[in-house]
Structures are given as structure tokens and as C-alpha cells.
Amino acid sequence: MRRAVLAFGSTVAGLILLLSFRSHTASTASAGITAAGTSPSPAATGNGSPTTMPRSAPASAAAGGGAAGGKVVTGDVINGPYGPSQVAITLAGGKITKVTVLQHTDDGLNSQQIDGNALPKLAAETLAAQSARIDAVSGASYTSAGYVKSLQSALDKAMA
């Protein structure tokens, strides 16, 4: 009987501790995340490629010009389990000078935290690698995969 009371008390105490746990919150990510570099390095920083998205549906994509003397090319919208991903790149002199995230996953606070961390890293790697051959961000597999696929479609359109 004594063991049963101790086991029950321990279980209740553990549940109270578990339910009172508060995780930290980060600032929200915005849809207009951009990265621009003045002199990007042509050397690639990674050679891995993330897994492909389970669902993809190419949607709007337009190539235009004129933003700060560069050619702006918009990638396809890549639909994933947590929302769409879309990237636009600015090219000047054959180099990627700016990456703008037009759409990113938006499935609540968790997606905002993941994207707030991952998208600036992905944009910085893109500017350094000057290609879509960049490493995925740990913990942001779907965000990384959608970003890379949209980036690759923008680069394909720029070469066409």
C-alpha cells in the first residue's frame, strides 16, 4: 500500500511539473525577409541537398527587371505540409546579389520561430554559394526544401 501511495504521488508531482513547463517564445518572422550582399563569394559552402517536398505545385513565376539595376527573377511557389515557399532573386552581372523570401511556411508560432531562424541562414548561404546547392538548416527540413526548390526554379528561369 505504501508503494502505491508513493507511486501515485510521484506521478501527480511529475504531471504538475510537466504541465507547468513554459517554453520560450521568439519574435515572429516576417514575409519580407531579404538578404543582400555587396561582394558575395563564388565558393560554395555546402554540397548537400535537402529532401524533396512531398507536394509541389508550380504556380506564378515572372521574370522582371529594374530593382536596383539588377534582374529580378521569381521562383515557383512550392507547397509543403506547413504552407507555401517562394523566393525571388536579384541578379546583377551574372551573380546573385539579393534574395527575397516572398512566401514562407506559416503554420503558427512554431513555423514562425523555425522560419525566423532558418530563412536568414538560407539566404546568406545562397549569396555565398551563388547556387541552389546549399545545406539545409537543421530543424527546418520542410522550410529548407521549399526554399531550395523555389530558388532552383528561379535560377532555371534566369538561365532560360
Side-chain angles (χ1 to χ4, degrees), residues 70-160:
K71 177 181 177 184
V72 178
V73 183
T74 304
D76 293 338
V77 176
I78 306 300
N79 291 313
Y82 299 105
S85 297
Q86 186 178 27
V87 175
I89 57 173
T90 304
L91 299 166
K95 292 187 175 187
I96 302 170
T97 58
K98 182 178 178 182
V99 178
T100 305
V101 177
L102 302 175
Q103 295 184 52
H104 60 90
T105 58
D106 186 20
D107 192 35
L109 184 60
N110 193 34
S111 284
Q112 292 173 353
Q113 290 174 343
I114 291 169
D115 289 354
N117 177 45
L119 292 174
K121 290 178 182 178
L122 291 167
E125 263 198 68
T126 301
L127 293 174
Q130 291 293 302
S131 73
R133 291 183 53 90
I134 59 175
D135 290 331
V137 175
S138 178
S141 299
Y142 291 115
T143 298
S144 298
Y147 177 95
V148 168
K149 287 181 83 174
S150 183
L151 175 63
Q152 185 62 57
S153 71
L155 290 170
D156 291 344
K157 290 174 188 169
M159 298 302 158

Side-chain angles (χ1 to χ4, degrees), residues 6-28:
L6 286 174
F8 180 73
S10 298
T11 302
V12 169
L15 282 172
I16 289 171
L17 289 172
L18 181 65
L19 294 175
S20 66
F21 178 74
R22 300 274 187 242
S23 63
H24 69 287
T25 59
S27 61
T28 59

